[in-house]
Amino acid sequence: MAPASAADDRPTVGWTRKHLLGLRELSAAELLAILDTAKGFAEISTRSIRKVPTLRGRVVVNLFYESSTRTRLSFSLAAQRLSADVLDFQKDGSSTAKGETLVDTARNIEAMGVDVFVVRHGAPGAAAVLARHLQASVVNAGDGAHEHPTQALLDVYTIRERLGRIEGVHVAIVGDIGHSRVARSNIWALTKLGAKVTVVGPPTLVPARFRDLGVDVCHDLDRVLPEVDVLNMLRIQRERQSHLNFPSIEEYSRLFGMTSRRLERAKPGVVVMHPGPLNRGVEISPEVADGPCSVILDQVAAGLAVRMAVLFLVSTGAAREQQGGARDPEAAGGPAQAPRGGAA
Ligand code: CP
């Protein structure tokens, strides 16, 4: 969908929600609505004036209780490209140190007239809790090991741009699957859109129960390597492990790290992805990360368009609810008005 039409008062086909809390609950039509809207918004970044007035007068707050570079900055830039005002909350230096709870903090910020909360928190379900307590829209920017929906959306967007389709594409997600919100959100999005997914890593990081999500589980990267179209190399999340779940980083890297030599066994044209931040030399070598198969920086660029689309769509969902349209079952009522269109 082009921004010129995306930015007017009409509801986007396939989208009625006021929040984006995860991809598990979304239909394929809703996922496609986000991807198609993002495709339209991507064009804005190619213009000489890279801004539209779609969310002028709205306020977006980044409420980040965990560190972030890509997600926080691209949500900020996405909101600014849509002409929204942006507030940045980071836990360090905030009154959280004085004992203020997540909900109290958010309700106090909402009292300043905030329309959209973009939330990153270490607790699974934190965004959903806020959606129940706030009138504003809530977007999950990562909640513990539960979901990171906009990361998966930008991953799927990047695959579609590179390969021209999602249906039938075989994606291997390699690494610390058990601790990964990125893996979970990717699994929901890719399987709903008809991709084949194999999760790969040592048994201690890739539990067999993931088969229940409709994916293949493999503990031998070299066996699956020649079969896949996309390799999504995940970071070992030491911050979510009380101890290493494998003998050593060196052994993990030898068995599951993507090097130029290992990549020779992959299909021609294989696409190498990584959500960032990279552990160079652990899950991916510098040669592969910076090489011709890598789309890592394309993923970052896609994140801007995807996050513009998400901010726009949840605002239309809030407006729809306020106007008495179909209610988002997660919604608790919203103050937002429909966004206006045209060039800035
Ligand atoms: N991929 C990702 O979420 O990166 P940040 O932690 O830097 O936001």
Side-chain angles (χ1 to χ4, degrees):
M1 177 178 293
S5 60
D8 64 23
D9 287 357
R10 288 169 288 176
T12 301
V13 174
W15 189 267
T16 58
R17 291 176 191 267
K18 176 181 166 185
H19 308 296
L20 178 66
L21 303 179
L23 301 188
R24 181 179 187 164
E25 57 265 32
L26 298 197
S27 65
E30 288 173 308
L31 292 167
L32 291 171
I34 299 172
L35 297 177
D36 292 345
T37 304
K39 178 83 178 164
F41 278 123
E43 187 269 328
I44 290 171
S45 293
T46 67
R47 297 180 188 172
S48 55
I49 298 174
R50 295 177 290 178
K51 203 161 187 169
V52 289
T54 306
L55 296 186
R56 189 163 55 203
R58 306 296 177 82
V59 182
V60 175
V61 63
N62 287 319
L63 191 67
F64 275 57
Y65 283 78
E66 286 187 332
S67 55
S68 168
T69 297
R70 282 147 289 270
T71 311
R72 191 169 60 82
L73 290 179
S74 65
F75 265 115
S76 285
L77 190 54
Q80 289 167 25
R81 291 259 162 105
L82 297 171
S83 300
D85 296 320
V86 182
L87 299 176
D88 258 315
F89 167 96
Q90 288 175 273
K91 182 184 160 201
D92 290 346
S94 76
S95 288
T96 304
K98 302 172 196 163
E100 192 166 45
T101 66
L102 170 67
V103 171
D104 277 340
T105 299
R107 290 184 69 195
N108 277 265
I109 294 171
E110 185 176 49
M112 300 175 199
V114 168
D115 301 291
V116 182
F117 282 75
V118 177
V119 182
R120 174 170 286 192
H121 199 283
V129 167
L130 288 188
R132 286 200 295 275
H133 284 87
L134 301 175
Q135 300 297 303
S137 290
V138 176
V139 176
N140 182 3
D143 59 335
H146 176 229
E147 285 226 38
H148 189 349
T150 57
Q151 178 65 47
L153 288 163
L154 72 87
D155 292 341
V156 173
Y157 181 98
T158 304
I159 295 169
R160 193 168 77 157
E161 285 297 294
R162 183 54 72 110
L163 300 180
R165 68 199 161 91
I166 298 298
E167 190 158 10
V169 170
H170 188 175
V171 180
I173 308 174
V174 184
D176 188 358
I177 306 300
H179 293 97
S180 176
R181 56 196 179 201
V182 174
R184 281 176 180 76
S185 288
N186 263 274
I187 288 168
W188 296 123
L190 288 165
T191 56
K192 284 168 197 273
L193 295 175
K196 175 179 167 59
V197 178
T198 303
V199 290
V200 186
T204 47
L205 297 185
V206 183
R209 67 172 184 275
F210 270 80
R211 289 198 179 94
D212 298 345
L213 305 185
V215 303
D216 287 345
V217 170
C218 178
H219 305 304
D220 183 350
L221 177 58
D222 291 322
R223 184 173 69 68
V224 79
L225 194 53
E227 301 169 12
V228 302
D229 305 297
V230 176
L231 287 157
N232 196 348
M233 308 303 298
L234 302 187
R235 185 173 64 88
I236 296 297
Q237 300 193 55
R238 292 183 229 193
E239 74 274 21
R240 297 197 200 285
Q241 302 181 34
S242 53
H243 62 280
L244 274 185
N245 284 303
F246 41 85
S248 69
I249 292 286
E250 291 72 25
E251 180 175 306
Y252 178 86
S253 185
R254 185 167 53 77
L255 294 175
F256 297 101
M258 191 51 57
T259 59
S260 300
R261 188 156 176 212
R262 176 164 271 137
L263 200 58
E264 285 171 13
R265 297 211 287 277
K267 272 186 185 177
V270 69
V271 176
V272 178
M273 308 177 75
H274 192 299
L278 306 180
N279 288 317
R280 287 176 178 263
V282 179
E283 69 271 2
I284 192 165
S285 72
E287 295 75 30
V288 175
D290 303 327
C293 296
S294 169
V295 295
I296 293 170
L297 295 182
D298 297 320
Q299 290 172 260
V300 177
L304 182 59
V306 162
R307 288 168 178 135
M308 288 172 77
V310 166
L311 292 174
F312 165 69
L313 288 170
V314 297
S315 298
T316 66
R320 192 177 158 85
E321 181 183 287
Q322 192 191 38
Q323 291 161 8
R327 289 184 67 86
D328 176 347
E330 300 151 350
Q337 298 170 351
R340 304 278 163 194

